[in-house]
Amino acid sequence: MLAKIFYNSVIGIIILMLTVLMLLPTPADLATVGQQNNNSKSLLIKNASVFNGEEALARQDIEIRDGLIQQIGSDLVVSDAETIDAHGKTLIPGLIDAHTHSFANALGATVKFGVTTHIDMFSHPSILTPEKEKRVSVAQSSEADLFSAGMLATIEGGHGTQFGIQVDTINSPDQAKQWVARRAQEGSDFIKIVYMPYSSHFKSIDRATAAAIIDAAHEIGLQALAHVSSQRAARELLEHDVDGLVHIFADKKVSDEFIKLAQSSNVFVIPTLAVIASAANESLGMRLADDPLIKPFLAPDQYQQLQSGYGDQKIPGFELSIALHNVKKLHQAGVTILAGSDAANPGTAYGASVHQELRLLRRAGLSPKEALRAATMSVADTFNLTDRGRIEVGMKADLVLLNANPLTDIIATRDIYTIFKNGQEIEREPNSKQSLANDIVDPNLSAFEDGLTSPSAFAWSKTDDTMAGGQSSASIALGNKHLSVNVTVDPKFMFPWAGAGAFTQDAVNISPYSRLTFRVRGTNGRYRVMVFSGAQTGAPPSQSVEVSDTWSTITLELENFRGLDVGNFYGLAIVAGPEQGEFKYQLDDVKLLP
Amino acid sequence: MSVFANETGAEILKAVRAPEFIFPTLLMPCAFYALFAIVLSNSGSNATYLLATYGVFAVMGPSIFGFGVGVSTERERGWLQLKRAGPAPAYAYIGAKLVTTLLFVMLALIPVYLIAGFAGGVALARGTWFALFAIHLAATVPFVLIGINLGFTLGSSGAVAISNIVFLGLAVLGGLWFPVFAFPSAMQTLATFTPSFHLAELALAVVGAPGERTSSTNALTISIMTLSLLVLSLWTWSRQKQ
């Protein structure tokens, strides 16, 4: 009897276990569910002018079904199809941004600007597997698809390690094979290398390591792309057969020797002029943010990011005129140029900045057609994306229908009638007006007479760049009716800061006020005032101020804080940096003026 | 074989007739998993990560309590002495307990997997489900050895108390309830001394959870731990005979 219990239990439970294991869902099951949701009714776009990724075609009908382009031709007849009359409109392939960092809501934000694919140059490897499944699916989606380098190759403390993502760093050539193998295992679509041996801000892997990574990538059939910021670094990697440069260098005008090398090595270049313009403090992002064709579709954080850029500073080594010149020369020499925005860096926004990049490529001498190819067919060809980048039968129905013809003026890419992702229209409602917070109760932001909290509930504390991975430090103390601040600014972070800030829990509306004033004295030098507002995630808007060792009153116009959302203000900081050193200063009477 | 089969049958019967003992160890893991991975998770993105760690947690209960408390009670009541005097060999006694434990481990894992797959949206390749199950099932061995050592060295009331401490300690420190990276660094160091941490890391590697881990080191460490526990339990077992 006992033996029977034993056999029955063992067999019963094992069968139960195996049944459960066989029934548990797999990714394929989920994909099938997605496919079933797809609408297999046809959609017919009639009489559109078409740019098919390569050339212009006059008056075409395009049939879309099951997420794919089914037919292209004149006077197509499809029974029971929904029809869009596209007479006078231009149909182009969904745009591909060839250089992004697709964090948070990137893929949803970008698609609202007709960008249906991102080529990501550094993201956490955990996103790779799910995105691979998503991009082969033709099920309804309101997000762009993603191809990505995943983890980037950089040395400990190098560029790429400052963003708070834990980085698998690499220090020597003998680690290259294993490092690349780990990327392949994680699902990287290509390899991205940060090589900036001549940077004063960042440490970098050495030339031998970069060469070893390129070789290891080629050995297993992956392309190796490089982030470089100088012509010298770029030339060195071209000699080691790097496949592409993900920025144009803007430090020096391109030499004839470099152009020859670029031609013979068949390298491609993603200039990312939009972000170079932002680093060069050209304020193009501000203008883009207020473009009536762009602004209504920008999320609040993206709008602020375009407005604020890198603050009011110009970063050395970035000259837009040199960048434009270099792109022009390389393009004339026949080097493949691809459109990439480098969003979401300061001064750029997902999707929106691609339209600016196209305009900048135009300024660099590409014809409208060549600029459009740089965001469609050329990217697809370069990255072997065989299902997109063109309007052809069998391709994914990722399409943008424009009100005007971008082959006449490239700015028409912003004038979007509608967008299709996987054959389904993207809902594209303009953002409703942003709500205002409550009015600030008292314009006095400091009351250092009796504590660190102001009458309007702003609490003062120290603030420094350790929160962003830097090593500056600050301490604050209540002095005799003022605030004393002692800081050490350490140059290890690219934009170091340390000082004192005042923050409030709930944002307040400060729109009745137009100026910020405070009294200060301290170590002679340039300081910065930063303001925090709205949904800002990137670098906060800031203004520079001069401080001396006698008390002086400083007054700043709020409108000069580019990107400040006065309806939702929640903090400010008065800090030393980016110049390094030790600073002691005292603050008093921080308040807003009408 | 028939001795072993009878012995195991008796163990199973005993567990079924005294369900108040075994049921909590079966119910707690799936209740906790449902609470932390599904109900309290606002994104639902933790479901896969926590499946790996709560699977190890589900294994711990039957393993540690089945052996630790079970063996010490039987030893104290003189049942173990009687067994040794009887005709059934020692391996049948331990073997029967081990097989029963493995069966209860499966019963504990099934609801956790079902909740993950059908309520938590966890989708894994078929091979990955089986590999995860293999890791979880293999996790029984070191925990059973911990249970044996507790059972052979402690009195029955002591075994209940100490087993509970060991059980909860290994669960929390090993990062089975909350990810280890959420701990202060001292606790993270402490975690590397627990078998539960290394088993969880292996399970996380199988499901491809984000984060860097060195599975070979985890596998080596858990093997050494298991071997050490085995040697220790052979010694405590030999002390019973004297």
Side-chain angles (χ1 to χ4, degrees):
Chain A
M1 201 274 279
L2 288 173
K4 203 171 161 194
I5 291 176
F6 164 70
Y7 290 120
N8 288 346
S9 311
V10 169
I11 293 165
I13 292 176
I14 288 178
I15 288 176
L16 183 64
M17 189 75 228
L18 290 176
T19 314
V20 167
L21 285 172
M22 289 309 294
L23 285 178
L24 285 165
T26 66
D29 297 337
L30 298 188
T32 337
V33 172
Q35 304 256 346
Q36 282 162 356
N37 288 342
N38 209 323
N39 172 3
S40 85
K41 196 178 163 200
S42 280
L43 176 77
L44 193 58
I45 301 170
K46 299 273 299 174
N47 298 320
S49 299
V50 170
F51 169 75
N52 69 0
E54 185 173 12
E55 293 299 338
L57 308 170
R59 253 192 98 232
Q60 297 285 311
D61 296 351
I62 294 96
E63 187 204 350
I64 300 168
R65 185 167 29 85
D66 297 334
L68 301 173
I69 298 171
Q70 303 287 347
Q71 288 192 76
I72 304 169
S74 306
D75 303 315
L76 293 183
V77 179
V78 179
S79 61
D80 193 31
E82 190 191 332
T83 305
I84 294 179
D85 179 22
H87 182 75
K89 297 185 170 64
T90 303
L91 190 70
I92 63 171
L95 298 170
I96 308 176
D97 188 338
H99 187 145
T100 70
H101 299 282
S102 306
F103 302 129
N105 63 344
L107 299 173
T110 201
V111 81
K112 295 206 158 48
F113 294 96
V115 177
T116 50
T117 301
H118 269 189
I119 311 284
D120 173 278
M121 290 294 162
F122 170 38
S123 273
H124 196 282
S126 60
I127 68 167
L128 298 177
T129 308
E131 290 300 335
K132 263 179 205 280
E133 281 156 17
K134 213 183 82 193
R135 74 197 188 200
V136 296
S137 160
V138 289
Q140 178 167 18
S141 169
S142 52
E143 290 191 342
D145 295 335
L146 185 89
F147 295 79
S148 176
M151 187 54 69
L152 48 60
T154 192
I155 201 166
E156 205 178 331
H159 178 56
T161 59
Q162 75 270 39
F163 302 115
I165 294 183
Q166 204 190 2
V167 173
D168 181 7
T169 52
I170 173 165
N171 302 323
S172 65
D174 55 297
Q175 298 169 331
K177 257 195 182 163
Q178 294 249 304
W179 190 92
V180 170
R182 287 200 288 280
R183 301 294 80 76
Q185 202 196 354
E186 285 164 356
S188 292
D189 293 300
F190 48 89
I191 296 297
K192 153 130 181 232
I193 301 165
V194 173
Y195 182 63
M196 33 200 326
Y198 311 111
S199 160
S200 52
H201 286 294
F202 288 110
K203 292 195 282 179
S204 168
I205 58 170
D206 61 17
R207 186 170 174 173
T209 308
I213 298 168
I214 295 171
D215 289 344
H218 288 170
E219 224 164 87
I220 58 166
L222 291 180
Q223 298 197 83
L225 279 50
H227 167 115
V228 290
S229 52
S230 68
Q231 176 160 209
R232 197 171 151 196
R235 199 184 57 226
E236 288 172 3
L237 293 193
L238 255 57
E239 286 168 8
H240 292 297
D241 280 330
V242 75
D243 297 282
L245 301 178
V246 302
H247 299 287
I248 188 67
F249 45 86
D251 64 325
K252 282 203 176 74
K253 288 194 171 179
V254 60
S255 67
D256 292 343
E257 182 207 352
F258 185 93
I259 291 171
K260 282 212 184 74
L261 190 57
Q263 280 175 317
S264 63
S265 68
N266 208 14
V267 73
F268 64 87
V269 178
I270 308 167
T272 64
L273 294 166
V275 80
I276 291 172
S278 174
N281 202 16
E282 295 272 345
S283 313
L284 297 183
M286 284 177 82
R287 267 186 268 156
L288 181 72
D290 285 322
D291 183 329
L293 291 171
I294 297 287
K295 190 177 179 181
F297 307 102
L298 281 169
D301 63 322
Q302 299 286 297
Y303 177 79
Q304 279 187 295
Q305 181 141 307
L306 279 174
Q307 284 272 328
S308 51
Y310 284 92
D312 61 354
Q313 50 190 339
K314 184 173 160 67
I315 299 170
F318 293 92
E319 281 297 339
L320 182 61
S321 58
I322 295 181
L324 289 166
H325 170 89
N326 291 350
V327 173
K328 186 172 206 158
K329 286 283 186 191
L330 289 168
H331 172 64
Q332 282 168 357
V335 173
T336 302
I337 304 289
L338 305 178
S341 66
D342 205 3
N345 269 292
T348 65
Y350 293 121
S353 291
V354 174
H355 298 281
Q356 182 167 66
E357 186 70 18
L358 291 173
R359 195 119 188 268
L360 286 163
L361 290 176
R362 184 82 186 89
R363 266 174 76 180
L366 278 73
S367 70
K369 191 188 285 179
E370 289 166 337
L372 277 178
R373 284 179 188 159
T376 54
M377 176 192 82
S378 297
V379 195
D381 290 354
T382 302
F383 288 92
N384 295 319
L385 318 180
T386 53
D387 60 348
R388 65 193 71 214
R390 284 183 165 86
I391 299 180
E392 278 174 13
V393 172
M395 292 271 164
K396 264 197 174 207
D398 293 355
L399 303 163
V400 186
L401 190 56
L402 301 170
N403 288 317
N405 193 336
L407 296 176
T408 318
D409 185 349
I410 196 72
I411 203 156
T413 57
R414 304 175 187 193
D415 195 356
I416 295 171
Y417 177 73
T418 192
I419 299 158
F420 300 91
K421 177 78 193 81
N422 292 356
Q424 311 249 351
E425 266 191 89
I426 292 291
E427 279 189 40
R428 193 172 187 258
E429 291 296 315
N431 294 330
S432 48
K433 267 266 172 270
Q434 235 192 301
S435 59
L436 290 183
N438 291 330
D439 285 357
I440 191 166
V441 288
D442 188 322
N444 185 4
L445 300 178
S446 65
F448 301 132
E449 278 73 19
D450 50 23
L452 287 172
T453 303
S454 80
S456 38
F458 277 74
W460 284 83
S461 62
K462 66 170 187 159
T463 171
D464 57 49
D465 57 24
T466 50
M467 64 196 271
Q471 292 184 12
S472 302
S473 61
S475 67
I476 63 168
L478 267 184
N480 181 19
K481 299 192 172 181
H482 60 251
L483 185 71
S484 283
V485 189
N486 288 344
V487 305
T488 306
V489 178
D490 183 302
K492 292 226 171 50
F493 182 59
M494 198 170 181
F495 313 107
W497 84 85
F503 294 88
T504 182
Q505 285 286 322
D506 300 310
V508 289
N509 175 24
I510 55 166
S511 58
Y513 301 93
S514 64
R515 286 171 298 164
L516 171 71
T517 181
F518 57 94
R519 295 201 319 126
V520 62
R521 73 166 174 201
T523 314
N524 288 323
R526 260 158 80 87
Y527 291 63
R528 272 190 296 157
V529 181
M530 309 191 285
V531 291
F532 302 86
S533 63
Q536 182 109 39
T537 51
S542 69
Q543 292 187 53
S544 297
V545 295
E546 292 289 341
V547 170
S548 69
D549 53 10
T550 54
W551 282 105
S552 62
T553 301
I554 287 173
T555 304
L556 300 170
E557 296 291 330
L558 291 181
E559 67 176 17
N560 291 340
F561 287 108
R562 292 167 12 190
L564 168 64
D565 176 359
V566 290
N568 292 280
F569 173 74
Y570 64 86
L572 82 154
I574 301 171
V575 301
E579 282 84 13
Q580 68 182 95
E582 292 191 15
F583 298 84
K584 287 182 198 300
Y585 58 100
Q586 282 104 46
L587 296 171
D588 202 3
D589 293 336
V590 186
K591 59 188 169 204
L592 296 164
L593 298 176
Chain B
M1 185 61 203
S2 75
V3 175
F4 172 70
N6 280 316
E7 189 79 32
T8 313
E11 280 289 335
I12 295 167
L13 197 62
K14 187 178 76 185
V16 174
R17 283 184 180 161
E20 68 277 7
F21 172 67
I22 199 72
F23 267 92
T25 66
L26 297 187
L27 283 179
M28 197 154 92
C30 62
F32 271 42
Y33 179 74
L35 187 66
F36 287 107
I38 317 282
V39 181
L40 296 182
S41 165
N42 42 17
S43 60
S45 58
N46 301 330
T48 309
Y49 189 101
L50 294 179
L51 167 66
T53 62
Y54 276 82
V56 177
F57 178 60
V59 170
M60 277 175 60
S63 305
I64 292 183
F65 286 109
F67 268 87
V69 181
V71 170
S72 76
T73 313
E74 288 172 7
R75 189 170 62 103
E76 209 160 74
R77 289 180 185 164
W79 181 243
L80 196 58
Q81 232 171 350
L82 201 68
K83 278 274 177 193
R84 260 210 313 279
Y91 81 81
Y93 173 72
I94 298 291
K97 276 203 165 357
L98 182 62
V99 169
T100 312
T101 303
L102 286 171
L103 293 178
F104 278 109
V105 160
M106 289 190 230
L107 288 181
L109 285 173
I110 285 171
V112 176
Y113 285 9
L114 288 174
I115 291 169
F118 295 102
V122 176
L124 302 173
R126 190 66 64 212
T128 309
W129 279 115
F130 275 93
L132 184 66
F133 171 61
I135 289 278
H136 283 154
L137 198 64
T140 311
V141 178
F143 293 129
V144 156
L145 290 171
I146 290 173
I148 288 181
N149 282 310
L150 293 174
F152 283 156
T153 43
L154 301 167
S156 64
S157 52
V160 173
I162 303 290
S163 295
N164 260 308
I165 292 170
V166 171
F167 174 68
L168 294 175
L170 289 181
V172 173
L173 267 185
L176 303 186
W177 288 2
F178 315 104
V180 173
F181 58 73
F183 293 170
S185 63
M187 272 175 83
Q188 293 195 18
T189 314
L190 219 53
T192 58
F193 291 98
T194 64
S196 41
F197 168 76
H198 295 283
L199 290 163
E201 288 293 299
L202 286 173
L204 287 167
V206 165
V207 299
E212 285 172 49
R213 41 182 66 85
T214 42
S215 298
S216 48
T217 313
N218 296 137
L220 184 69
T221 315
I222 195 67
S223 308
I224 292 170
M225 284 176 169
T226 307
L227 214 61
S228 315
L229 285 165
L230 182 66
V231 171
L232 190 65
S233 50
L234 287 175
W235 180 68
T236 48
W237 170 253
S238 70
R239 273 184 43 197
Q240 305 300 314
K241 295 181 176 168
Q242 289 152 16

